[in-house]
Amino acid sequence: MKKITKFKDQKILVLGLARSGMAAALVLNELGAIVTVNDGKPFEENKEAQLLLEEGIKVITGSHPIDLLDEDFALMVKNPGIRYDNPMVERAEALKIPVITEVELAYLISEAPIIGITGTNGKTTTTTLIAGILNADGQSAKLSGNIGFPASEVAEKASASDTLVMELSSFQLMGIDSFRPKIALITNLFSAHLDYHGSQKAYEAAKWRIQENMTSDDFLILNFNQEKCRNLADKTKATVLAFSTKEKVNGAYSKDGKIYFNDEYIMEVSELSLPGEHNLENALAAILASKLQGTKNEAIVEVLTSFAGVKHRLQYLGEIDGRKVYNDSKATNILATQKALSGFDNSKLWLLAGGLDRGNGFEELEKDLQDLKGMVVFGQTANKLRLTAEKLNIPVFNSENVAKALEEILPQTQAGDTILLSPACASWDQYKTFEERGDLFIQAFENLKNKSTDNY
Protein backbone atom coordinates (compact mmCIF):
# COMPACT_ATOMS: atom_id res chain seq x y z
CA MET A 1 0.00 0.00 0.00
CA LYS A 2 1.22 3.48 -0.82
CA LYS A 3 1.72 5.38 2.42
CA ILE A 4 0.02 8.55 1.20
CA THR A 5 -0.20 11.50 3.59
CA LYS A 6 -3.10 13.47 2.11
CA PHE A 7 -5.57 12.04 4.65
CA LYS A 8 -3.39 12.41 7.74
CA ASP A 9 -5.21 14.36 10.48
CA GLN A 10 -8.13 14.99 8.09
CA LYS A 11 -11.65 14.52 9.43
CA ILE A 12 -13.38 12.02 7.15
CA LEU A 13 -16.92 10.68 7.31
CA VAL A 14 -17.60 7.15 6.07
CA LEU A 15 -21.32 6.97 5.24
CA GLY A 16 -22.70 3.43 5.22
CA LEU A 17 -20.87 0.32 6.29
CA ALA A 18 -21.12 -3.20 4.87
CA ARG A 19 -17.78 -4.64 3.70
CA SER A 20 -16.65 -1.71 1.56
CA GLY A 21 -17.41 0.89 4.23
CA MET A 22 -15.59 -1.10 6.87
CA ALA A 23 -12.58 -1.57 4.58
CA ALA A 24 -12.46 2.17 3.81
CA ALA A 25 -12.70 3.10 7.49
CA LEU A 26 -9.84 0.78 8.46
CA VAL A 27 -7.58 1.97 5.64
CA LEU A 28 -8.24 5.63 6.39
CA ASN A 29 -7.58 5.04 10.07
CA GLU A 30 -4.25 3.41 9.21
CA LEU A 31 -3.39 6.42 7.03
CA GLY A 32 -3.84 8.71 10.02
CA ALA A 33 -7.25 10.16 9.24
CA ILE A 34 -9.70 11.12 11.97
CA VAL A 35 -12.51 8.78 10.94
CA THR A 36 -16.19 8.90 11.83
CA VAL A 37 -18.51 6.17 10.59
CA ASN A 38 -22.26 6.68 10.25
CA ASP A 39 -24.51 3.67 9.56
CA GLY A 40 -28.27 3.24 9.81
CA LYS A 41 -28.26 -0.19 11.45
CA PRO A 42 -28.57 -0.08 15.28
CA PHE A 43 -25.30 -0.64 17.13
CA GLU A 44 -26.39 -3.82 18.90
CA GLU A 45 -27.14 -5.42 15.50
CA ASN A 46 -24.12 -3.92 13.76
CA LYS A 47 -21.10 -6.22 13.94
CA GLU A 48 -19.00 -4.00 11.66
CA ALA A 49 -19.62 -0.95 13.85
CA GLN A 50 -18.73 -2.92 16.96
CA LEU A 51 -15.44 -4.04 15.42
CA LEU A 52 -14.57 -0.51 14.32
CA LEU A 53 -15.27 0.85 17.78
CA GLU A 54 -12.80 -1.71 19.16
CA GLU A 55 -10.24 -0.21 16.76
CA GLY A 56 -10.83 3.20 18.29
CA ILE A 57 -12.89 4.54 15.37
CA LYS A 58 -15.88 6.74 16.19
CA VAL A 59 -19.19 5.19 15.13
CA ILE A 60 -22.65 6.72 15.01
CA THR A 61 -25.39 4.19 14.28
CA GLY A 62 -29.15 3.83 14.13
CA SER A 63 -29.83 7.05 12.21
CA HIS A 64 -28.23 9.64 9.94
CA PRO A 65 -28.17 12.96 11.85
CA ILE A 66 -27.80 15.84 9.41
CA ASP A 67 -26.10 18.00 12.02
CA LEU A 68 -23.22 15.52 12.04
CA LEU A 69 -21.99 17.30 8.90
CA ASP A 70 -21.47 20.49 10.88
CA GLU A 71 -18.24 18.95 12.20
CA ASP A 72 -16.18 20.35 9.32
CA PHE A 73 -15.34 17.12 7.48
CA ALA A 74 -12.76 17.27 4.70
CA LEU A 75 -14.18 14.27 2.83
CA MET A 76 -17.11 11.85 2.68
CA VAL A 77 -16.59 8.26 1.55
CA LYS A 78 -20.05 7.07 0.55
CA ASN A 79 -21.33 3.51 0.23
CA PRO A 80 -22.06 3.12 -3.52
CA GLY A 81 -25.63 2.01 -2.88
CA ILE A 82 -26.54 5.29 -1.18
CA ARG A 83 -28.10 7.62 -3.75
CA TYR A 84 -27.00 11.16 -4.35
CA ASP A 85 -30.42 12.52 -3.35
CA ASN A 86 -29.87 11.12 0.15
CA PRO A 87 -30.14 14.05 2.61
CA MET A 88 -26.68 13.38 4.06
CA VAL A 89 -25.08 13.38 0.63
CA GLU A 90 -26.99 16.45 -0.51
CA ARG A 91 -25.92 18.29 2.65
CA ALA A 92 -22.27 17.30 2.11
CA GLU A 93 -22.36 18.58 -1.45
CA ALA A 94 -24.01 21.82 -0.33
CA LEU A 95 -21.14 22.28 2.14
CA LYS A 96 -18.61 21.61 -0.68
CA ILE A 97 -17.41 18.42 1.03
CA PRO A 98 -15.99 16.11 -1.66
CA VAL A 99 -17.92 12.83 -1.93
CA ILE A 100 -16.09 9.75 -3.20
CA THR A 101 -16.64 6.01 -3.23
CA GLU A 102 -14.23 3.43 -1.89
CA VAL A 103 -12.76 2.56 -5.32
CA GLU A 104 -11.22 6.03 -5.50
CA LEU A 105 -9.53 5.37 -2.19
CA ALA A 106 -8.31 2.01 -3.52
CA TYR A 107 -6.74 3.71 -6.53
CA LEU A 108 -4.96 6.27 -4.37
CA ILE A 109 -3.28 3.63 -2.18
CA SER A 110 -2.71 0.89 -4.77
CA GLU A 111 0.84 0.00 -5.76
CA ALA A 112 -0.62 -2.47 -8.26
CA PRO A 113 -1.86 -1.48 -11.73
CA ILE A 114 -5.60 -1.77 -12.27
CA ILE A 115 -7.67 -3.44 -14.96
CA GLY A 116 -11.16 -1.97 -14.57
CA ILE A 117 -14.23 -3.73 -15.99
CA THR A 118 -17.67 -2.16 -16.24
CA GLY A 119 -20.78 -2.46 -18.41
CA THR A 120 -24.36 -3.63 -18.02
CA ASN A 121 -24.01 -7.38 -18.55
CA GLY A 122 -21.09 -9.77 -18.35
CA LYS A 123 -18.96 -7.79 -15.88
CA THR A 124 -18.55 -10.54 -13.32
CA THR A 125 -17.86 -13.30 -15.82
CA THR A 126 -15.35 -11.17 -17.74
CA THR A 127 -13.62 -10.01 -14.56
CA THR A 128 -13.32 -13.59 -13.31
CA LEU A 129 -12.01 -14.81 -16.66
CA ILE A 130 -9.32 -12.14 -16.85
CA ALA A 131 -8.06 -12.89 -13.34
CA GLY A 132 -8.15 -16.63 -14.04
CA ILE A 133 -6.14 -16.27 -17.26
CA LEU A 134 -3.52 -14.02 -15.70
CA ASN A 135 -3.07 -16.39 -12.77
CA ALA A 136 -2.88 -19.41 -15.09
CA ASP A 137 -0.09 -17.56 -16.90
CA GLY A 138 1.90 -17.26 -13.67
CA GLN A 139 1.04 -13.64 -13.05
CA SER A 140 -0.56 -12.47 -9.81
CA ALA A 141 -4.07 -11.14 -10.36
CA LYS A 142 -6.35 -10.18 -7.50
CA LEU A 143 -10.12 -9.87 -7.86
CA SER A 144 -11.54 -6.70 -6.36
CA GLY A 145 -14.42 -4.23 -6.41
CA ASN A 146 -18.05 -4.95 -7.13
CA ILE A 147 -17.32 -8.67 -7.45
CA GLY A 148 -17.39 -9.04 -3.67
CA PHE A 149 -13.86 -8.09 -2.56
CA PRO A 150 -13.67 -4.48 -1.27
CA ALA A 151 -11.27 -2.64 -3.54
CA SER A 152 -9.45 -0.75 -0.79
CA GLU A 153 -8.99 -3.91 1.27
CA VAL A 154 -7.41 -5.69 -1.70
CA ALA A 155 -5.34 -2.66 -2.71
CA GLU A 156 -3.99 -2.34 0.83
CA LYS A 157 -2.41 -5.79 0.61
CA ALA A 158 -1.34 -5.73 -3.06
CA SER A 159 2.20 -5.04 -4.25
CA ALA A 160 3.53 -3.55 -7.47
CA SER A 161 3.97 -7.07 -8.87
CA ASP A 162 0.24 -7.76 -8.59
CA THR A 163 -2.59 -6.67 -10.87
CA LEU A 164 -5.96 -5.60 -9.47
CA VAL A 165 -8.74 -6.92 -11.70
CA MET A 166 -11.58 -4.70 -10.56
CA GLU A 167 -15.27 -4.97 -11.38
CA LEU A 168 -16.82 -1.49 -11.27
CA SER A 169 -20.48 -0.57 -11.02
CA SER A 170 -21.99 2.68 -12.23
CA PHE A 171 -22.64 3.52 -8.55
CA GLN A 172 -18.94 3.20 -7.75
CA LEU A 173 -17.81 5.14 -10.80
CA MET A 174 -19.97 8.12 -9.90
CA GLY A 175 -17.70 8.61 -6.89
CA ILE A 176 -14.27 8.76 -8.54
CA ASP A 177 -11.98 11.74 -8.98
CA SER A 178 -8.46 10.72 -10.04
CA PHE A 179 -9.13 7.00 -10.61
CA ARG A 180 -7.14 5.81 -13.63
CA PRO A 181 -6.91 2.16 -14.67
CA LYS A 182 -4.11 0.90 -16.87
CA ILE A 183 -6.71 -1.02 -18.88
CA ALA A 184 -10.44 -0.23 -18.89
CA LEU A 185 -13.12 -2.43 -20.43
CA ILE A 186 -16.80 -1.74 -21.16
CA THR A 187 -18.65 -4.98 -21.88
CA ASN A 188 -21.85 -3.37 -23.23
CA LEU A 189 -24.41 -0.67 -22.41
CA PHE A 190 -28.10 -1.44 -21.96
CA SER A 191 -30.88 0.07 -19.88
CA ALA A 192 -30.33 -0.46 -16.14
CA HIS A 193 -30.56 1.20 -12.73
CA LEU A 194 -32.75 4.04 -13.94
CA ASP A 195 -34.30 4.29 -10.47
CA TYR A 196 -30.84 5.27 -9.16
CA HIS A 197 -29.54 7.39 -12.03
CA GLY A 198 -32.80 8.93 -13.19
CA SER A 199 -32.15 8.45 -16.90
CA GLN A 200 -30.31 6.21 -19.35
CA LYS A 201 -28.09 9.15 -20.29
CA ALA A 202 -26.99 9.61 -16.67
CA TYR A 203 -26.40 5.86 -16.28
CA GLU A 204 -24.18 5.73 -19.37
CA ALA A 205 -22.34 8.87 -18.28
CA ALA A 206 -21.51 7.15 -14.99
CA LYS A 207 -20.12 4.12 -16.84
CA TRP A 208 -18.11 6.36 -19.16
CA ARG A 209 -16.30 7.91 -16.20
CA ILE A 210 -14.07 4.83 -16.12
CA GLN A 211 -11.90 6.41 -18.84
CA GLU A 212 -11.99 10.08 -17.92
CA ASN A 213 -8.43 10.23 -16.51
CA MET A 214 -6.85 7.85 -19.02
CA THR A 215 -4.25 8.92 -21.58
CA SER A 216 -2.90 7.45 -24.80
CA ASP A 217 -0.59 5.32 -22.66
CA ASP A 218 -3.67 3.45 -21.36
CA PHE A 219 -5.99 1.04 -23.18
CA LEU A 220 -9.77 1.22 -23.43
CA ILE A 221 -11.51 -1.94 -24.68
CA LEU A 222 -14.93 -1.50 -26.31
CA ASN A 223 -17.59 -3.87 -27.64
CA PHE A 224 -17.85 -3.12 -31.37
CA ASN A 225 -20.88 -5.40 -31.70
CA GLN A 226 -22.80 -2.54 -30.14
CA GLU A 227 -23.07 0.68 -32.12
CA LYS A 228 -23.47 2.67 -28.92
CA CYS A 229 -20.05 1.48 -27.71
CA ARG A 230 -18.44 1.81 -31.14
CA ASN A 231 -19.48 5.47 -31.26
CA LEU A 232 -17.53 6.14 -28.06
CA ALA A 233 -14.21 5.20 -29.65
CA ASP A 234 -13.33 8.74 -30.73
CA LYS A 235 -14.49 10.33 -27.47
CA THR A 236 -11.59 9.27 -25.27
CA LYS A 237 -7.89 10.06 -24.94
CA ALA A 238 -7.14 6.39 -24.26
CA THR A 239 -5.89 4.02 -26.95
CA VAL A 240 -8.97 2.09 -28.09
CA LEU A 241 -9.03 -1.61 -28.90
CA ALA A 242 -12.15 -3.58 -29.75
CA PHE A 243 -13.75 -7.00 -29.61
CA SER A 244 -16.41 -8.28 -31.97
CA THR A 245 -18.16 -11.47 -33.04
CA LYS A 246 -19.30 -9.85 -36.29
CA GLU A 247 -16.18 -8.44 -37.97
CA LYS A 248 -12.41 -8.29 -37.90
CA VAL A 249 -11.31 -5.49 -35.56
CA ASN A 250 -8.15 -4.10 -34.04
CA GLY A 251 -8.25 -6.40 -31.04
CA ALA A 252 -10.02 -9.73 -30.49
CA TYR A 253 -12.64 -11.20 -32.81
CA SER A 254 -14.23 -14.43 -34.02
CA LYS A 255 -14.48 -15.49 -37.65
CA ASP A 256 -15.56 -18.77 -39.22
CA GLY A 257 -15.71 -20.48 -35.84
CA LYS A 258 -12.21 -19.37 -34.81
CA ILE A 259 -11.00 -16.79 -32.29
CA TYR A 260 -8.20 -14.36 -33.10
CA PHE A 261 -6.19 -11.65 -31.41
CA ASN A 262 -5.47 -9.38 -34.37
CA ASP A 263 -4.16 -11.92 -36.92
CA GLU A 264 -3.03 -14.42 -34.31
CA TYR A 265 -5.15 -17.58 -34.01
CA ILE A 266 -6.07 -18.36 -30.39
CA MET A 267 -8.63 -21.20 -30.32
CA GLU A 268 -11.88 -22.59 -31.74
CA VAL A 269 -15.17 -21.05 -30.65
CA SER A 270 -16.48 -24.58 -30.10
CA GLU A 271 -13.83 -25.11 -27.41
CA LEU A 272 -15.32 -22.47 -25.09
CA SER A 273 -16.79 -24.07 -21.99
CA LEU A 274 -19.58 -21.50 -21.62
CA PRO A 275 -22.36 -21.44 -24.24
CA GLY A 276 -23.98 -18.44 -25.92
CA GLU A 277 -23.09 -15.40 -27.99
CA HIS A 278 -22.84 -13.26 -24.86
CA ASN A 279 -20.25 -15.58 -23.38
CA LEU A 280 -18.29 -15.48 -26.63
CA GLU A 281 -18.21 -11.69 -26.21
CA ASN A 282 -17.05 -12.10 -22.61
CA ALA A 283 -14.31 -14.47 -23.75
CA LEU A 284 -13.10 -12.09 -26.47
CA ALA A 285 -13.01 -9.20 -24.00
CA ALA A 286 -11.02 -11.31 -21.53
CA ILE A 287 -8.61 -12.46 -24.24
CA LEU A 288 -7.94 -8.88 -25.30
CA ALA A 289 -7.28 -7.64 -21.77
CA SER A 290 -5.07 -10.65 -21.07
CA LYS A 291 -3.02 -10.27 -24.26
CA LEU A 292 -2.35 -6.65 -23.30
CA GLN A 293 -0.75 -8.11 -20.18
CA GLY A 294 1.50 -10.34 -22.27
CA THR A 295 -0.36 -13.55 -21.49
CA LYS A 296 0.54 -16.73 -23.35
CA ASN A 297 -2.12 -18.45 -25.47
CA GLU A 298 -1.77 -21.67 -23.48
CA ALA A 299 -3.09 -19.94 -20.36
CA ILE A 300 -6.00 -18.42 -22.30
CA VAL A 301 -7.03 -21.78 -23.77
CA GLU A 302 -6.63 -23.55 -20.43
CA VAL A 303 -9.06 -21.21 -18.68
CA LEU A 304 -11.59 -20.70 -21.46
CA THR A 305 -11.97 -24.44 -22.08
CA SER A 306 -12.47 -25.32 -18.40
CA PHE A 307 -14.27 -22.33 -16.86
CA ALA A 308 -17.53 -23.47 -15.27
CA GLY A 309 -19.03 -20.00 -14.96
CA VAL A 310 -19.63 -17.62 -12.09
CA LYS A 311 -21.95 -18.95 -9.42
CA HIS A 312 -25.62 -18.47 -10.38
CA ARG A 313 -24.67 -16.95 -13.76
CA LEU A 314 -25.12 -19.73 -16.32
CA GLN A 315 -23.05 -21.90 -13.99
CA TYR A 316 -22.37 -25.40 -15.25
CA LEU A 317 -23.00 -27.80 -12.38
CA GLY A 318 -22.20 -31.08 -14.11
CA GLU A 319 -24.14 -34.12 -15.27
CA ILE A 320 -26.70 -36.47 -13.80
CA ASP A 321 -26.74 -39.68 -15.84
CA GLY A 322 -25.82 -37.86 -19.04
CA ARG A 323 -28.08 -34.83 -18.44
CA LYS A 324 -26.14 -31.56 -18.27
CA VAL A 325 -27.41 -29.14 -15.60
CA TYR A 326 -26.93 -25.34 -15.52
CA ASN A 327 -27.74 -22.87 -12.74
CA ASP A 328 -28.68 -19.41 -14.04
CA SER A 329 -30.60 -18.19 -10.99
CA LYS A 330 -29.22 -14.68 -11.64
CA ALA A 331 -31.58 -14.48 -14.64
CA THR A 332 -34.19 -12.38 -12.84
CA ASN A 333 -35.73 -10.90 -16.01
CA ILE A 334 -36.73 -11.93 -19.52
CA LEU A 335 -33.65 -10.43 -21.22
CA ALA A 336 -31.29 -12.49 -19.05
CA THR A 337 -33.18 -15.69 -19.85
CA GLN A 338 -33.18 -14.85 -23.56
CA LYS A 339 -29.38 -14.55 -23.42
CA ALA A 340 -29.11 -17.88 -21.61
CA LEU A 341 -31.37 -19.67 -24.09
CA SER A 342 -29.32 -18.39 -27.03
CA GLY A 343 -26.49 -20.71 -26.09
CA PHE A 344 -28.38 -24.00 -26.25
CA ASP A 345 -30.05 -26.36 -28.70
CA ASN A 346 -33.74 -26.02 -27.77
CA SER A 347 -34.57 -29.47 -29.11
CA LYS A 348 -32.60 -30.97 -26.21
CA LEU A 349 -33.33 -28.32 -23.58
CA TRP A 350 -35.62 -28.36 -20.54
CA LEU A 351 -36.19 -24.91 -19.01
CA LEU A 352 -37.01 -24.35 -15.34
CA ALA A 353 -38.61 -20.92 -14.89
CA GLY A 354 -40.84 -18.85 -12.65
CA GLY A 355 -40.84 -16.54 -9.65
CA LEU A 356 -42.14 -13.15 -8.57
CA ASP A 357 -45.09 -11.82 -10.56
CA ARG A 358 -44.40 -8.20 -11.49
CA GLY A 359 -47.49 -7.97 -13.65
CA ASN A 360 -45.78 -8.58 -16.99
CA GLY A 361 -46.50 -11.28 -19.53
CA PHE A 362 -43.95 -13.45 -21.34
CA GLU A 363 -44.75 -12.67 -24.98
CA GLU A 364 -41.18 -11.36 -25.48
CA LEU A 365 -39.86 -14.80 -24.57
CA GLU A 366 -41.98 -16.78 -27.03
CA LYS A 367 -39.57 -16.68 -29.98
CA ASP A 368 -36.76 -17.92 -27.73
CA LEU A 369 -38.83 -20.85 -26.49
CA GLN A 370 -39.65 -22.23 -29.92
CA ASP A 371 -39.06 -26.02 -30.19
CA LEU A 372 -38.11 -26.31 -26.52
CA LYS A 373 -38.21 -29.92 -25.36
CA GLY A 374 -40.07 -29.01 -22.19
CA MET A 375 -40.58 -26.63 -19.29
CA VAL A 376 -41.09 -26.79 -15.55
CA VAL A 377 -42.77 -23.76 -13.99
CA PHE A 378 -43.04 -22.64 -10.37
CA GLY A 379 -43.70 -19.59 -8.20
CA GLN A 380 -46.20 -16.78 -8.68
CA THR A 381 -45.74 -16.70 -12.47
CA ALA A 382 -46.24 -20.45 -12.95
CA ASN A 383 -49.67 -20.10 -14.56
CA LYS A 384 -48.54 -17.33 -16.94
CA LEU A 385 -45.56 -19.39 -18.05
CA ARG A 386 -47.73 -22.48 -18.41
CA LEU A 387 -50.06 -20.59 -20.76
CA THR A 388 -47.04 -19.45 -22.79
CA ALA A 389 -45.76 -23.02 -23.06
CA GLU A 390 -49.15 -24.40 -24.04
CA LYS A 391 -49.54 -21.73 -26.70
CA LEU A 392 -46.26 -22.96 -28.23
CA ASN A 393 -47.18 -26.65 -27.77
CA ILE A 394 -44.30 -27.18 -25.36
CA PRO A 395 -44.73 -29.96 -22.75
CA VAL A 396 -45.02 -28.18 -19.39
CA PHE A 397 -45.09 -29.34 -15.76
CA ASN A 398 -45.85 -27.45 -12.56
CA SER A 399 -43.62 -27.77 -9.52
CA GLU A 400 -43.49 -26.33 -6.04
CA ASN A 401 -39.97 -24.88 -6.12
CA VAL A 402 -36.59 -25.11 -7.88
CA ALA A 403 -35.35 -28.09 -5.88
CA LYS A 404 -38.42 -30.19 -6.55
CA ALA A 405 -38.51 -29.01 -10.16
CA LEU A 406 -35.15 -30.64 -10.83
CA GLU A 407 -36.09 -33.87 -9.09
CA GLU A 408 -39.47 -34.10 -10.77
CA ILE A 409 -38.29 -33.37 -14.30
CA LEU A 410 -35.43 -35.88 -14.43
CA PRO A 411 -37.68 -38.87 -15.23
CA GLN A 412 -39.01 -36.97 -18.27
CA THR A 413 -35.51 -36.41 -19.70
CA GLN A 414 -33.00 -38.62 -21.44
CA ALA A 415 -29.23 -38.79 -21.77
CA GLY A 416 -27.97 -35.93 -23.95
CA ASP A 417 -30.59 -33.48 -22.69
CA THR A 418 -29.77 -30.25 -20.88
CA ILE A 419 -31.65 -28.86 -17.87
CA LEU A 420 -31.41 -25.09 -17.38
CA LEU A 421 -32.62 -23.08 -14.40
CA SER A 422 -33.11 -19.61 -15.85
CA PRO A 423 -36.19 -18.23 -14.08
CA ALA A 424 -36.87 -14.98 -16.05
CA CYS A 425 -38.28 -13.67 -12.77
CA ALA A 426 -37.06 -12.28 -9.48
CA SER A 427 -36.87 -14.69 -6.55
CA TRP A 428 -38.69 -12.75 -3.85
CA ASP A 429 -41.95 -14.69 -3.97
CA GLN A 430 -40.22 -17.72 -2.42
CA TYR A 431 -36.65 -16.74 -1.60
CA LYS A 432 -34.81 -13.78 -0.07
CA THR A 433 -32.34 -13.55 -2.97
CA PHE A 434 -31.49 -15.16 -6.29
CA GLU A 435 -28.42 -16.57 -4.51
CA GLU A 436 -30.60 -18.46 -2.05
CA ARG A 437 -32.68 -19.80 -4.94
CA GLY A 438 -29.55 -20.89 -6.79
CA ASP A 439 -27.96 -22.45 -3.70
CA LEU A 440 -31.03 -24.63 -3.14
CA PHE A 441 -30.89 -25.70 -6.78
CA ILE A 442 -27.20 -26.56 -6.44
CA GLN A 443 -27.93 -28.59 -3.31
CA ALA A 444 -30.72 -30.46 -5.10
CA PHE A 445 -28.32 -31.21 -7.95
CA GLU A 446 -25.66 -32.56 -5.57
CA ASN A 447 -28.21 -34.74 -3.75
CA LEU A 448 -29.57 -36.19 -6.98
CA LYS A 449 -26.13 -36.69 -8.47
CA ASN A 450 -24.92 -38.59 -5.40
CA LYS A 451 -27.78 -41.07 -5.50
CA SER A 452 -27.94 -41.29 -9.29
CA THR A 453 -27.23 -44.69 -10.83
CA ASP A 454 -28.76 -44.46 -14.29
CA ASN A 455 -32.22 -44.31 -12.78
CA TYR A 456 -33.56 -41.91 -15.37
Side-chain angles (χ1 to χ4, degrees), residues 39-50:
D39 191 68
K41 187 186 291 186
F43 183 78
E44 60 273 12
E45 302 171 15
N46 200 322
K47 184 178 291 186
E48 291 92 350
Q50 293 169 24

Side-chain angles (χ1 to χ4, degrees), residues 54-108:
E54 291 176 8
E55 294 291 328
I57 296 173
K58 181 180 179 181
V59 294
I60 298 170
T61 59
S63 66
H64 298 293
I66 290 291
D67 58 3
L68 175 61
L69 288 162
D70 295 336
E71 294 188 21
D72 195 28
F73 288 103
L75 180 71
M76 173 187 282
V77 181
K78 178 187 75 68
N79 183 290
I82 297 173
R83 289 165 46 142
Y84 283 80
D85 58 1
N86 177 281
M88 293 287 284
V89 181
E90 288 186 331
R91 177 63 176 159
E93 291 182 328
L95 293 171
K96 307 298 184 186
I97 299 171
V99 179
I100 65 169
T101 52
E102 177 249 0
V103 295
E104 171 72 12
L105 175 61
Y107 170 75
L108 293 172

Side-chain angles (χ1 to χ4, degrees), residues 87 104 116 140 144 205 221 256 302 313 344 352-353 363 374 418 427 455:
E104 171 72 12
S140 176
S144 59
I221 299 171
D256 299 328
E302 176 188 338
R313 293 166 171 84
F344 296 96
L352 280 52
E363 294 81 8
T418 296
S427 59
N455 291 327

Side-chain angles (χ1 to χ4, degrees), residues 291-307:
K291 292 295 283 186
L292 289 173
Q293 289 290 99
T295 306
K296 294 183 291 293
N297 291 348
E298 290 81 2
I300 293 171
V301 174
E302 176 188 338
V303 172
L304 294 183
T305 56
S306 62
F307 185 64

Side-chain angles (χ1 to χ4, degrees), residues 323 350 373 397 407-414 417 456:
R323 289 89 167 155
W350 296 80
K373 194 162 189 180
F397 304 85
E407 181 176 7
E408 292 166 358
I409 201 57
L410 278 170
Q412 309 298 327
T413 66
Q414 58 186 347
D417 285 353
Y456 304 107

Side-chain angles (χ1 to χ4, degrees), residues 12-33:
I12 298 177
L13 177 64
V14 175
L15 183 64
L17 268 174
R19 289 187 64 187
S20 66
M22 184 167 183
L26 290 170
V27 166
L28 288 165
N29 187 57
E30 186 176 341
L31 292 171

Side-chain angles (χ1 to χ4, degrees), residues 37 66 78 82-83 108 134 138 193 204-205 232 241 294 395-396 412 416:
V37 173
I66 290 291
K78 178 187 75 68
I82 297 173
R83 289 165 46 142
L108 293 172
L134 296 183
H193 303 304
E204 292 177 8
L232 294 171
L241 296 173
V396 58
Q412 309 298 327

